[in-house]
């Protein structure tokens, strides 16, 4: 896994790198400039950050024996990597994603990797949940971890209320979150997202109780949990900054101050995790909760 995570060290910086962001700001402004940056960030997510959670996807699928009989709904499916892994195991997959850039990339991946005859679908927001013509889900996943920022479970609670209504009785619902801060090296870097923000904690909160709370509010009953090591490895500091900023966890800080300044602070916070060869390595542990639809 390490060799995969740190490949492409010498890639040219994308439009979302600190240097490119500065260049874009000095260029004439256009109505489509925000869209260009949003698409660049979505591609950074797909090319750099999304694969960091592959061990989590695989551990959950192995434990729940995801395969030909699985009818999976992925909430917040990003650019579709987790869905592709499930489809490769024979599952019928549907994904919802509110970020247009990530959704476009997921569609590209699906069309290129999943046979036309396979049962796969992608939709914006929760559109795919409201389809009476499809069989009830027997597995719902939310692989976007909560606990990295204040209020980051709100979208999940809203999506779950709709998704659970379309699931069969006994269906598994998988919620995921950051592990304890002392087990997540990235916790120190995430403090940049909260630095100097009134009323905000100095770092990410542990979601140990948050996952159970979300499940309870959705009317689900807990049925097991687990922890998975998901180290974040990057080819270099620039890739690390781009990957971390693509998560969206730093958006509020960038709006309140300056995106270039936030990128600079992230780069500084990465110093303890840089290796002599220039790569960046941060061990992390993520937690997942399996709940059941009553």
């Amino acid at each position: 896994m390490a060799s995969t995570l740190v490949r492409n060290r010498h890639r040219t910086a994308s439009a979302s790198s600190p240097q490119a962001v500065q260049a874009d700001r000095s260029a004439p402004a256009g109505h489509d400039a925000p869209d260009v940056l949003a698409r660049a960030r979505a591609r950074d997510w797909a090319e750099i950050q999304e694969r960091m959670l592959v061990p989590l996807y695989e551990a959950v699928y192995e434990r729940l024996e995801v395969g030909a009989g699985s009818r999976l709904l992925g909430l917040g499916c990003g650019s579709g990597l987790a869905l592709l892994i499930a489809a490769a195991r024979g599952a019928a997959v549907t994904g919802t994603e509110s970020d247009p850039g990530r959704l476009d990339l997921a569609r590209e991946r699906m069309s290129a990797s999943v046979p036309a005859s396979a049962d796969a679908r992608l939709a914006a927001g929760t559109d795919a949940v409201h389809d009476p013509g499809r069989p009830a889900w027997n597995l719902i996943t939310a692989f976007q971890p909560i606990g990295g920022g204040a209020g980051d479970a709100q979208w999940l609670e809203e999506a779950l209320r709709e998704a659970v209504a379309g699931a069969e009785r006994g269906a598994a619902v998988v919620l995921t979150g950051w592990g304890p801060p002392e087990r997540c090296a990235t916790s120190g870097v995430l403090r940049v997202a909260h630095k100097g923000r009134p009323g905000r904690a100095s770092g990410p909160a542990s979601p140990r109780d948050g996952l159970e709370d979300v499940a309870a509010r959705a009317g689900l009953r807990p049925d097991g949990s687990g922890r998975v090591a998901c180290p974040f490895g990057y080819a270099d500091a620039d890739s690390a900054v781009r990957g971390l900023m693509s998560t969206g966890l730093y958006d509020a800080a960038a709006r309140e101050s300056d995106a270039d300044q936030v990128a600079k602070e992230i780069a500084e916070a990465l110093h303890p995790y840089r290796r002599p060869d220039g790569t960046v390595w941060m061990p992390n542990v993520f937690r997942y909760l399996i709940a059941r639809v009553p």
Side-chain angles (χ1 to χ4, degrees):
M1 180 61 70
S3 61
T4 301
L5 295 180
V6 299
R7 67 177 180 266
N8 300 330
R9 181 184 308 173
H10 300 294
R11 281 187 60 205
T12 302
S14 78
S16 59
S17 68
Q19 297 91 335
V21 169
Q22 182 63 39
D24 284 342
R25 287 182 174 178
S26 64
H31 70 278
D32 60 344
D35 291 338
V36 171
L37 291 178
R39 287 196 297 270
R41 193 176 74 163
R43 192 161 294 280
D44 281 344
W45 169 263
E47 295 180 355
I48 300 173
Q49 193 64 32
E50 190 173 26
R51 64 178 181 266
M52 305 299 177
L53 296 179
V54 165
L56 177 62
Y57 308 154
E58 292 180 337
V60 168
Y61 292 160
E62 186 67 25
R63 179 164 176 173
L64 294 177
E65 299 181 341
V66 171
S70 302
R71 299 182 300 280
L72 185 155
L73 172 64
L75 301 175
C77 69
S79 47
L81 182 55
L83 295 181
L84 287 174
I85 295 173
R89 298 173 67 102
V93 299
T94 298
T96 70
E97 176 56 53
S98 59
D99 182 286
R102 292 185 183 185
L103 185 61
D104 286 345
L105 291 172
R107 285 175 172 146
E108 288 179 16
R109 283 175 160 179
M110 284 290 183
S111 62
S113 304
V114 178
S117 59
D119 189 1
R121 184 185 178 193
L122 293 163
T126 55
D127 291 349
V129 176
H130 307 290
D131 187 350
R134 295 181 69 86
W137 323 110
N138 57 21
L139 172 60
I140 299 171
T141 61
F143 282 129
Q144 184 174 321
I146 67 171
D152 62 358
Q154 182 176 354
W155 75 272
L156 177 57
E157 294 184 18
E158 295 172 354
L160 277 178
R161 281 194 290 270
E162 298 186 69
V164 168
E168 67 181 27
R169 184 174 183 180
V173 180
V174 180
L175 310 179
T176 60
W178 288 81
E182 64 273 13
R183 300 287 304 279
C184 294
T186 308
S187 293
V189 184
L190 287 177
R191 291 192 180 96
V192 173
H194 309 276
K195 183 179 178 182
R197 302 187 65 204
R200 301 302 177 96
S202 60
S206 171
R208 170 183 288 275
D209 298 324
L211 297 179
E212 281 78 4
D213 290 344
V214 171
R217 286 193 287 271
L220 306 171
R221 56 177 180 84
D223 189 35
S225 63
R227 290 185 177 184
V228 182
C230 293
F232 285 8
Y234 305 94
D236 50 37
D238 179 67
S239 294
V241 171
R242 288 162 45 207
L244 290 167
M245 291 194 74
S246 76
T247 64
L249 294 172
Y250 299 89
D251 287 1
R255 286 193 299 269
E256 293 181 7
S257 58
D258 178 85
D260 291 338
Q261 179 60 32
V262 171
K264 180 180 178 181
E265 292 180 8
I266 294 173
E268 291 172 352
L270 289 170
H271 280 305
Y273 311 108
R274 296 184 67 175
R275 292 176 164 182
D277 63 356
T279 59
V280 177
W281 188 257
M282 293 184 288
N284 297 299
V285 170
F286 287 82
R287 182 170 179 261
Y288 66 86
L289 173 71
I290 300 173
R292 297 284 175 178
V293 177

